[in-house]
Amino acid sequence: MSSVTKTTTYRFIDWSTYLALFAANLVLLAGIISPIFQQQLLDDRIEVTPGEVVEFKTWQLKPQLIGAMRIDVDASFNNNRWATYELRVLDDEGNLIVSALKQAWVESGIWREGGESGTWREKDVQAALDLQAGDEPETITLAINILDYTDTSGQPVEGESVRFHVRVFNGAIDTRYLIPGVIGTGWLASFCFLSTQNSGQDTINKFVKDSDIGGRAIMGGEDNLICCKLKIVADETSPHSLDVNLWVSDGYGENMHHQVTPVSLTFHRDEDGDIKRTTGQLKQYFIFKKRGSYGIYIEVTPDAPVDDTVLRVKENVQTLTGVSVVEIARD
């Protein structure tokens, strides 16, 4: 004797996909809301002569949980010039805490090709520095020093100064590192999704050019989800749906469960709009309470239009959502 129960179960959901998606969304959200935490502390323009050190702002750098203090510097000078400048951070006694060097340049010219001509201009003048305080607030002073200022031939330029646009933000987050984070967690979510979709071990895998198919294998157990998947290939004379008769038998060949499921078909057409073939698929989940020998046999009706059937049964399957399952207990 056997008892059959039809229910919906969430026991076999693989949560790794959702955790990876949550991580990806969390990183993406951090990138979206990061500007909210920024507070502009300074927006100033200064002019510096080569060889001169200009101190222009003093304030307290305080510890913070999110973000850092960001100093953005944008240099401005004449065309065809190279300027190496140093952004300095000094403590309250004038000692150097940290510095950053930037080799900035602006070049322009005229191009000629095929009787046509025009002008071009390229530059690299921007620099940035992020600062974070230790355990205690620190008084800092910002300074800029021009170490070298030449033309494109390397000759020193005299009598010209360099203008700087300096902006300072507090609570800035470097979003450059968030992009690889989104890509990495997104790839991980895709990998987990595909792994779940292809989880389990094959117990029955058969292909026949007929409408009747079946197989037997050792499988089952209380915590073992079994997925039975049937693929049907039929000709152009198929009706819109076929009936799939499925039987489950025990180790003695006695019938334990029988179900009839209508399967809707998909019609595939050629370039002229004529039907080439039809396909359909049935997926049914089982839990066999006791591990043992079980047979699964399928008959598709009407059988005349059926060309091929493929039966694949896998155990230890995981799912992405709750699934409808047939539980079979053998007395």
Side-chain angles (χ1 to χ4, degrees):
M1 296 291 292
S2 60
S3 61
V4 178
T5 305
K6 296 182 179 180
T7 184
T8 299
T9 182
Y10 299 87
R11 290 167 50 199
F12 303 96
I13 293 178
D14 183 4
W15 296 103
S16 61
T17 302
Y18 295 97
L19 290 175
L21 283 173
F22 175 77
N25 289 328
L26 194 63
V27 175
L28 185 61
L29 181 63
I32 294 174
I33 69 174
S34 60
I36 298 176
F37 297 99
Q38 290 189 16
Q39 177 187 6
Q40 190 170 45
L41 302 178
L42 177 69
D43 188 347
D44 199 4
R45 299 177 186 272
I46 61 174
E47 193 167 325
V48 182
T49 302
E52 176 188 16
V53 178
V54 175
E55 298 180 3
F56 58 92
K57 184 64 178 179
T58 299
W59 63 76
Q60 273 202 329
L61 179 63
K62 298 180 180 179
Q64 51 190 2
L65 294 176
I66 299 177
M69 177 182 289
R70 174 168 300 166
I71 307 167
D72 287 331
V73 180
D74 191 352
S76 177
F77 43 85
N78 294 331
N79 286 340
N80 299 314
R81 297 286 189 267
W82 286 69
T84 302
Y85 65 88
E86 180 185 31
L87 179 61
R88 296 181 177 182
V89 180
L90 311 174
D91 63 15
D92 55 357
E93 296 180 354
N95 299 317
L96 182 65
I97 299 176
V98 67
S99 67
L101 288 177
K102 172 67 177 182
Q103 189 175 56
W105 53 270
V106 177
E107 292 189 0
S108 63
I110 299 174
W111 61 268
R112 294 182 178 85
E113 183 179 356
E116 296 182 352
S117 64
T119 60
W120 60 269
R121 187 174 186 269
E122 295 180 353
K123 64 179 181 178
D124 180 11
V125 296
Q126 294 180 332
L129 180 64
D130 287 352
L131 300 173
Q132 281 188 319
D135 297 331
E136 300 294 334
E138 300 178 57
T139 300
I140 62 171
T141 299
L142 299 184
I144 290 181
N145 177 28
I146 299 178
L147 302 178
D148 194 24
Y149 190 43
T150 66
D151 59 20
T152 53
S153 64
Q155 296 299 315
V157 176
E158 304 290 344
E160 290 184 9
S161 59
V162 178
R163 298 167 299 280
F164 293 94
H165 182 195
V166 182
R167 292 172 297 168
V168 179
F169 300 91
N170 205 24
I173 297 176
D174 194 342
T175 56
R176 293 175 301 172
Y177 299 103
L178 298 179
I179 296 174
V182 171
I183 295 174
T185 52
W187 178 88
L188 180 61
S190 300
F191 175 79
C192 293
F193 173 82
L194 293 175
S195 297
T196 303
Q197 290 286 79
N198 296 284
S199 64
Q201 297 83 43
D202 281 329
T203 58
I204 300 173
N205 195 347
K206 288 195 173 183
F207 164 79
V208 296
K209 288 186 167 295
D210 197 0
S211 60
D212 299 342
I213 193 170
R216 177 173 290 277
I218 302 295
M219 53 186 164
E222 179 72 29
D223 297 317
N224 189 344
L225 182 64
I226 295 168
C227 178
C228 174
K229 184 183 294 186
L230 177 72
K231 292 183 179 180
I232 305 168
V233 179
D235 60 28
E236 68 278 2
T237 64
S238 298
H240 289 284
S241 67
L242 297 173
D243 288 334
V244 174
N245 291 266
L246 185 150
W247 289 270
V248 177
S249 62
D250 62 14
Y252 301 101
E254 296 182 1
N255 182 44
M256 305 175 66
H257 172 67
H258 173 233
Q259 68 182 52
V260 181
T261 307
V263 174
S264 299
L265 300 180
T266 301
F267 291 81
H268 303 271
R269 301 178 183 272
D270 57 22
E271 296 178 354
D272 298 326
D274 298 326
I275 299 175
K276 296 189 300 180
R277 62 190 176 95
T278 58
T279 57
Q281 180 173 294
L282 169 70
K283 183 186 288 186
Q284 178 63 62
Y285 292 95
F286 293 97
I287 294 177
F288 302 141
K289 294 291 183 120
K290 294 183 179 180
R291 187 168 182 82
S293 176
Y294 295 92
I296 295 180
Y297 302 96
I298 290 176
E299 177 184 349
V300 182
T301 58
D303 61 353
V306 178
D307 293 331
D308 306 322
T309 50
V310 179
L311 175 63
R312 190 176 188 184
V313 181
K314 302 175 75 174
E315 66 174 353
N316 294 313
V317 172
Q318 292 181 306
T319 64
L320 291 169
T321 62
V323 293
S324 177
V325 63
V326 175
E327 296 187 15
I328 301 177
R330 183 175 56 188
D331 297 335

